[in-house]
Amino acid sequence: MARYLRTFLFRYESGLLIATLALIYFWPQLISNLFNSNYLPHGHCYFWAPDLVWLHVVSDTTIGLSYWAITYTLVYLIYKTRKDIPFAKMFLSFGIFIITCGTTHLMEVLTLWDALYWFSGGIKLITAVASVATAVALPPLIPRIIELIKAANLAEERKYQLEQKNKELNEEIAERQKAQEEITKLNQNLEKRVMQRTSQLEEANRKLRNEINIRKRIEVEREKLFLATRQRAAELDAVIESLPDGIIIGDESGIKKVNSVILNIIGLDKIEEVNKDIFTLYKMTSPRFAENSDLLTGEDFPFIRALKGESVVSEIIIDNLKTNKKIVLRSAAAPIILDKTIIGAVSVSTDITEAKRSEEEIKKLNEKLEQRVIERTEQLQAANYELEAFSYSVSHDLRAPLRGIDGFSKALMDEYYDKLDEKAKHRLERIRLASQKMGVLIDNMLNLSRLTRAEIKPKEINMSEIAYSIADALQKSSPRRFAEFNITQNLFSYGDENLVGIMLDNLFANAWKFTSKKEVTKIEFGSVIQNEKEIFYIQDNGAGFDAAYADKLFAPFQRLHSPKEFEGTGIGLAIVQRIVHKHGGQIWAEGEIQRGAKFYFYLSQKKDE
C-alpha cells in the first residue's frame, strides 16, 4: 500500500509537471492578451439589470471570499500540524484548487464591468489544472482514507472504551477520594479524640499530681498538726500541772488526767491507786457538804453531776488519805461539750481550808466591829444631839444680843436722828448692817450644820423642771433684767429632791449674781456623757474667776470678789459641795475673768444604794 501510494504520488506530480509545462508553453499568448479589454463587459449580458447584476456580485463575492477563507484555514492547519498531518500535499493541492475556484468567482465580479476575459480565462486554466491534479490525485488516496476512517473508528471505539475505562477509573478515583476523605475525617476525628483523650489524661495527670501534692501537704500538715497536738498536749499538761488548783479531767469510763495538786489534796501518789475510777475516789475521800457536814451521795458529787450536763460549784469537805486531816474544797465542775455532745467533764478544786479559817476569824472580827460600830453610832448620835442642842443654844443666845444691837441702833437712829451728825449716822448704819450680816452668817452656819446631819431620801428627780422653776423665780425677782435661760429638757437624776433643789438654787443664784452687771444674762443648764457617766453643768457669761483660785470656791466664807462688787457671805458654794458629796458625787469649776464660769457636777447616788 505504501509502495502504491508512492507510485501514485509520483504520477500525480509528473502529470502536474506536464500540465504546468503546457501552461508555460501557451503562456506567452496568454500574457500578451491578459489585460486586453476590447470586449464587452459581462454586465451587458444582464442588460445591466441592477438586481441581476448585484445578485451575481454578492453571490460570487461571497463564494470567492468563502473559498479564500477555506484555503487560509487549510494552510493554517497544515502549518500547525505539518509534522503530524497525513496527505499534506493533498491538502495543499486541494487548497490551491479551492483558492483558484474562489478567484474565478471574484473574476466573475470583475468582468461585469471590465472585460478582462483573457485574465479570467487564465485564472480558470489554473483552476482547471489544479482541479485535474486534485481529481487525479484523490482516487489513489481512497483506500488509505478508508483505512484511516477504519483506524479512526477503531480509535473512536478505543476512545470510547478508554473513556469508559477513564470514567470507571474516575469513579474509582472518586470512590477512593471519598474513602480518602472519610479516612481523613476519621483520622481527624481520631486525632481529635486522641488530643481530647491526651488532654483528659494530661488533666487527670495534673489532678493526680495536684492530689498527690495535696496529700503530701496534708501529710506534712498532719505531721505538723500531730507534733503541734503533742506540743499542745504537753503544754496543756504543763499548764494543768502548774495551776494552783486541783484538776480532774475524765469521762464516764474513768479519770483521764489529774495534776499533782489534787493528788496532794486527796493524799495520793498516783491516780492509779484508785484505778482511775471516780466512784472509788468518791468512796475513799468521804466528801461532805461544807455548810452542814452532811455526806454527799454519789449523785451529788460535782464531777458526776458535770458528766450529766450540769455546771456545779460546791464547797465540800474531804479527808486527806495520808494525814486524815479535814480539807475544805471549793469544787467547780462543768461538762466538756463537743458538737452539742457531752464527751467528758472537768473539775477544778481549790483548797479553801485556810480561807475558811480566815473567814471564820473575819466573821468574828466583823461581829466585834459591828458591836463597836453600834457603840460608836450611839456615841455619834449623842454627840449630834449635843451639837444640835449647842447649835440651838448658840443660835438663841447669839441672836438675842444681835437683835438688841440692831434694835437699839434703830432706836437711836429714829429718836436722835436730828441730833446726830452724818458721821454718827454712818456708824450706826454700819452697826446695824454688821449685826444683820452676823445674823445671816449664823443662819448659814446652822443650815450648813443641818445639811451635814440631814438624812437623804433618794428618788428619781426631774432636774430640768427644778431648773425651770428656779429660772422663773429669778426672772420674776428682777423683771427689768434681760436674761436668756437655755435649759436642756428631760434631764433626770437620783437623789434627795429637797437637797438637790437647794443645790441647784444656790448654783443658779450664784450665776444670777455674777451676771448682774451684764447687759444680757446668759445661763445654760445641760449635761454631757464622760466615761459612761452623766455630768451636769451650769454655765454663765458673768464676771468669771481666776482659775488659779478655783480650789477656794467651795471653802466656807471664802470669796474671790469683794463685797462692794458682789454681795454674799461665801457659804452658798460650800453648801452646794456638801450636798454633792452627800450624794457620793463630785463638783468642780472652770472659768476665766470676765468670760464667765462653768460648774460641773455629778451625783452617784443610785436606787440600790
Side-chain angles (χ1 to χ4, degrees):
M1 183 67 183
R3 187 176 59 183
Y4 170 77
L5 182 60
R6 284 194 299 270
T7 303
F8 167 75
L9 290 175
F10 174 74
R11 291 176 180 176
Y12 172 73
E13 292 173 355
S14 300
L16 185 60
L17 179 62
I18 294 170
T20 303
L21 292 175
L23 179 62
I24 294 172
Y25 175 78
F26 291 107
W27 188 257
Q29 188 179 0
L30 180 62
I31 293 300
S32 62
N33 295 310
L34 185 63
F35 297 103
N36 185 3
S37 60
N38 295 327
Y39 304 98
L40 290 174
H42 204 184
H44 288 281
C45 296
Y46 304 131
F47 300 105
W48 297 105
D51 294 338
L52 183 59
V53 171
W54 284 107
L55 174 62
H56 284 275
V57 169
V58 172
S59 300
D60 287 329
T61 301
T62 302
I63 293 170
L65 293 176
S66 298
Y67 281 178
W68 277 73
I70 292 170
T71 301
Y72 175 77
T73 303
L74 289 173
V75 171
Y76 181 77
L77 176 64
I78 294 169
Y79 175 75
K80 287 294 184 180
T81 60
R82 57 187 177 273
K83 294 181 180 181
D84 301 320
I85 189 170
F87 314 120
K89 293 181 178 179
M90 184 64 209
F91 277 108
L92 182 61
S93 177
F94 192 66
I96 294 171
F97 164 72
I98 292 174
I99 196 170
T100 55
C101 287
T103 305
T104 58
H105 282 280
L106 293 176
M107 289 306 297
E108 288 294 326
V109 176
L110 181 62
T111 57
L112 284 174
W113 287 278
D114 195 355
L116 297 174
Y117 296 123
W118 280 97
F119 183 75
S120 176
I123 296 299
K124 289 181 179 181
L125 177 61
I126 294 171
T127 304
V129 172
S131 300
V132 171
T134 302
V136 172
L138 183 61
L141 296 176
I142 294 301
R144 189 178 177 186
I145 291 172
I146 292 172
E147 289 180 1
L148 289 175
I149 291 172
K150 291 180 178 179
N153 290 334
L154 181 60
E156 189 69 25
E157 184 178 353
R158 289 183 177 179
K159 180 182 178 182
Y160 176 76
Q161 292 175 355
L162 288 173
E163 287 178 351
Q164 292 296 323
K165 291 291 184 179
N166 190 36
K167 184 178 179 182
E168 293 176 359
L169 183 61
N170 289 334
E171 290 177 354
E172 184 178 354
I173 291 172
E175 290 178 357
R176 289 188 177 184
Q177 288 178 345
K178 186 176 180 181
Q180 184 67 31
E181 289 177 358
E182 291 179 355
I183 292 172
T184 303
K185 290 182 180 179
L186 290 174
N187 287 335
Q188 291 176 351
N189 292 332
L190 182 61
E191 289 178 359
K192 188 181 293 185
R193 291 180 64 185
V194 169
M195 291 176 65
Q196 291 177 351
R197 185 58 179 167
T198 303
S199 177
Q200 292 174 356
L201 289 174
E202 289 177 352
E203 180 67 18
N205 288 334
R206 186 184 64 80
K207 291 181 178 179
L208 182 60
R209 287 193 297 271
N210 290 339
E211 185 176 354
I212 292 172
N213 292 333
I214 291 171
R215 289 188 178 182
K216 288 181 178 178
R217 287 198 296 269
I218 291 173
E219 289 297 328
V220 172
E221 293 298 326
R222 184 179 296 172
E223 183 66 21
K224 290 181 179 178
L225 182 60
F226 175 72
L227 295 175
T229 303
R230 290 183 58 183
Q231 180 66 22
R232 294 281 181 86
E235 291 174 356
L236 180 60
D237 290 342
V239 169
I240 292 174
E241 186 61 31
S242 63
L243 289 174
D245 299 324
I247 306 296
I248 299 176
I249 300 174
D251 54 25
E252 293 183 351
S253 63
I255 300 171
K256 302 299 182 183
K257 191 178 293 295
V258 296
N259 63 355
S260 58
V261 176
I262 193 67
L263 293 176
N264 293 332
I265 291 173
I266 298 172
L268 293 174
D269 295 323
K270 295 181 179 180
I271 195 62
E272 285 76 11
E273 295 179 26
V274 293
N275 297 322
K276 295 186 176 182
D277 182 60
I278 192 66
F279 287 99
T280 303
L281 181 65
Y282 155 72
K283 293 177 181 178
M284 292 178 66
T285 55
S286 302
R288 302 174 297 280
F289 288 108
E291 59 184 16
N292 53 21
S293 297
D294 290 343
L295 188 66
L296 271 74
T297 63
E299 299 298 325
D300 293 329
F301 200 53
F303 190 87
I304 296 173
R305 292 175 64 183
L307 287 174
K308 296 180 179 180
E310 296 185 55
S311 293
V312 184
V313 178
S314 301
E315 291 185 359
I316 60 176
I317 301 173
I318 66 170
D319 296 328
N320 186 283
L321 300 178
K322 287 184 178 180
T323 63
N324 206 28
K325 290 182 179 180
K326 294 181 180 180
I327 298 176
V328 183
L329 298 178
R330 179 179 288 111
S331 182
I336 300 174
I337 299 175
L338 180 64
D339 295 333
K340 299 181 180 181
T341 303
I342 299 174
I343 62 172
V346 58
S347 172
V348 180
S349 300
T350 305
D351 187 351
I352 59 171
T353 306
E354 294 299 324
K356 280 294 184 180
R357 188 177 295 110
S358 300
E359 185 180 337
E360 289 295 326
E361 292 178 357
I362 291 171
K363 185 177 180 182
K364 292 177 181 180
L365 290 174
N366 285 337
E367 290 176 354
K368 292 180 180 180
L369 182 60
E370 287 178 3
Q371 183 62 34
R372 293 179 64 183
V373 167
I374 292 172
E375 293 174 356
R376 186 60 177 167
T377 302
E378 291 175 352
Q379 293 174 0
L380 288 173
Q381 288 176 347
N384 285 335
Y385 177 77
E386 292 175 359
L387 181 60
E388 187 175 356
F390 174 75
S391 298
Y392 177 79
S393 175
V394 168
S395 174
H396 183 271
D397 294 343
L398 290 179
R399 283 180 185 278
L402 288 174
R403 284 195 297 269
I405 292 171
D406 183 53
F408 285 119
S409 297
K410 185 176 185 303
L412 285 172
M413 289 284 290
D414 292 341
E415 294 178 8
Y416 301 97
Y417 186 79
D418 295 335
K419 296 178 181 181
L420 296 174
D421 57 12
E422 291 300 323
K423 190 174 183 178
K425 292 177 182 178
H426 177 68
R427 287 179 176 174
L428 284 173
E429 188 65 31
R430 289 186 64 186
I431 291 171
R432 289 197 65 203
L433 289 173
S435 63
Q436 292 173 3
K437 184 177 180 180
M438 187 65 182
V440 173
L441 288 173
I442 292 171
D443 291 338
N444 288 337
M445 288 178 64
L446 289 174
N447 289 334
L448 190 60
S449 176
R450 291 193 188 99
L451 286 175
T452 304
R453 302 190 307 273
E455 182 182 356
I456 292 179
K457 297 178 180 178
K459 68 175 185 178
E460 190 175 54
I461 307 168
N462 191 327
M463 306 282 279
S464 299
E465 287 186 358
I466 296 174
Y468 278 125
S469 63
I470 294 172
D472 184 61
L474 291 172
Q475 186 67 72
K476 288 179 180 179
S477 66
S478 300
R480 293 183 180 181
R481 281 181 64 174
F482 185 74
E484 294 180 1
F485 289 95
N486 185 9
I487 299 173
T488 303
Q489 296 182 353
N490 299 321
L491 295 179
F492 291 90
S493 184
Y494 201 78
D496 188 290
E497 186 174 14
N498 182 46
L499 293 178
V500 173
I502 294 172
M503 176 194 68
L504 290 177
D505 185 64
N506 276 280
L507 288 173
F508 271 89
N510 188 71
W512 184 260
K513 176 173 66 177
F514 287 103
T515 57
S516 61
K517 295 182 180 181
K518 297 290 183 178
E519 292 183 3
V520 178
T521 295
K522 294 182 180 180
I523 300 175
E524 181 181 354
F525 176 60
S527 70
V528 294
I529 302 299
Q530 293 182 3
N531 298 326
E532 299 181 356
K533 184 180 293 184
E534 186 174 21
I535 298 176
F536 301 95
Y537 65 86
I538 295 179
Q539 183 176 6
D540 62 64
N541 64 334
F545 61 88
D546 188 347
Y549 301 102
D551 57 333
K552 295 183 179 182
L553 285 173
F554 303 103
F557 308 113
Q558 293 289 331
R559 292 174 53 83
L560 300 183
H561 299 275
S562 66
K564 292 181 180 180
E565 289 182 287
F566 300 100
E567 296 180 355
T569 61
I571 202 73
L573 291 180
I575 292 174
V576 169
Q577 188 185 52
R578 291 285 180 90
I579 294 174
V580 171
H581 287 176
K582 199 166 184 68
H583 284 78
Q586 292 291 332
I587 185 169
W588 65 96
E590 297 175 355
E592 293 183 39
I593 296 175
Q594 297 304 323
R595 299 192 66 176
K598 191 172 185 179
F599 288 84
Y600 296 92
F601 68 91
Y602 66 87
L603 308 176
S604 63
Q605 183 72 38
K606 301 297 181 183
K607 293 182 179 181
D608 55 352
E609 291 182 351

